[in-house]
Amino acid sequence: MSQRMSALAPPTAPPRPAEPLVVMAHEPEVPTWVAGACRRTKRQVRLEPAPGSPEERLVTVAALAGRSVLVVGPPGDGPGGTGCVVAAVRDLPADAGVLTEAAFVATELGATVAPVHCVPLSFGERSVGLTDALARGHEVLDASVAQLAADAPGLTVTPRLLRVHPHELVGEGLDADVLVLGGPRHRIPARVGLVGCSAVQHAPCPVLLAARPG
C-alpha cells in the first residue's frame, strides 16, 4: 500500500496505555506475555475471572467501560505466532488509544502492527461517496502510521484498507496474534458495540479493547 502525506495530524504526545490493564481470563494467572509487557512498562495489571458465557463476558466488559480490557480465551488461546497485531482504527484521534495499546502488545511479542480501516462493500463501485470514503480511509491509515512511528519507532507497520464491514473483520479468517479495537464508552446503559461484540464472541485470538476517552 502506498504511503501519502495525511491530512490528519497524529497526537503530539501519544497517550500511555491506560492503568491498570484488566485481563479477563479463564486461567487463575495472568498470561506470561502479558505479565512481561506490564513489568517492562511498570504497568499495573488486574486479573478478572472470565464468565462462562459470551453474553456474560460482554456484560462484564461493558461494566469496565473506560478501562483497557484484554479478553483471553480458554487455555491455549494465546498469541498464535502469526507475528502480527491487528489494530482496528475507525477514526483519529478517537482511536489513538487503540494504536498505543497495539504498540504495547507488539513490542512485547516482537510482532508487526497492522492498522486496519474498513470501508463497507455497501459502497458499490459506482456509489456516491465511495471516493471520499476511500480517501478518508487512507488519511486515517497515514495518521496511524505516523502515531505508531512516534509511539514505538522500532516497530514494523503494515497498514491495510479493507472493503468489509468492520464487524466482519473479526471472524475465523482473522490472521493475528492479538486484535486491538476500541472498547465501550461511558454511557447509560453500558453496552459493547457491534464490532466489540463480534470480537469477544468470534475472534480466534485474544482481544484487547482499548479504553476510550469519556
Side-chain angles (χ1 to χ4, degrees):
M1 179 175 294
S2 61
Q3 296 299 312
R4 299 173 294 106
M5 293 298 292
S6 172
L8 295 177
T12 55
R16 292 177 58 84
E19 299 287 357
L21 175 65
V22 179
V23 178
M24 189 183 302
H26 294 268
E27 293 287 277
E29 297 181 354
V30 173
T32 302
W33 65 274
V34 179
C38 291
R39 280 196 303 270
R40 174 176 52 81
T41 58
K42 297 181 171 58
R43 185 178 188 180
Q44 295 180 344
V45 60
R46 178 181 124 196
L47 185 63
E48 183 84 21
S53 71
E55 292 77 14
E56 291 172 324
R57 287 197 291 275
L58 290 172
V59 170
T60 302
V61 170
L64 293 166
R67 303 192 184 200
S68 287
V69 181
L70 176 67
V71 181
V72 181
D77 184 34
T82 67
C84 180
V85 173
V86 172
V89 184
R90 179 178 179 180
D91 198 9
L92 290 176
D95 285 331
V98 171
L99 297 171
T100 302
E101 292 287 11
F104 166 77
V105 171
T107 298
E108 179 64 24
L109 296 179
T112 62
V113 177
V116 172
H117 181 84
C118 300
V119 176
L121 278 174
S122 55
F123 281 101
E125 293 303 320
R126 298 180 182 276
S127 293
V128 174
L130 175 61
T131 299
D132 289 342
L134 293 174
R136 176 68 177 175
H138 283 295
E139 289 179 355
V140 170
L141 290 174
D142 286 348
S144 298
V145 171
Q147 180 183 318
L148 287 164
D151 274 357
L155 288 178
T156 299
V157 181
T158 56
R160 303 175 190 170
L161 182 66
L162 302 181
R163 294 299 312 279
V164 297
H165 287 280
H167 68 275
E168 295 173 335
L169 170 68
V170 300
E172 293 297 325
L174 177 66
D175 188 20
D177 282 340
V178 178
L179 171 65
V180 187
L181 65 155
R185 297 181 184 275
H186 286 290
R187 62 183 67 176
I188 299 175
R191 63 181 179 84
V192 182
L194 176 60
V195 181
C197 286
S198 296
V200 170
Q201 296 182 83
H202 303 299
C205 63
V207 175
L208 202 171
L209 296 108
R212 290 185 183 275

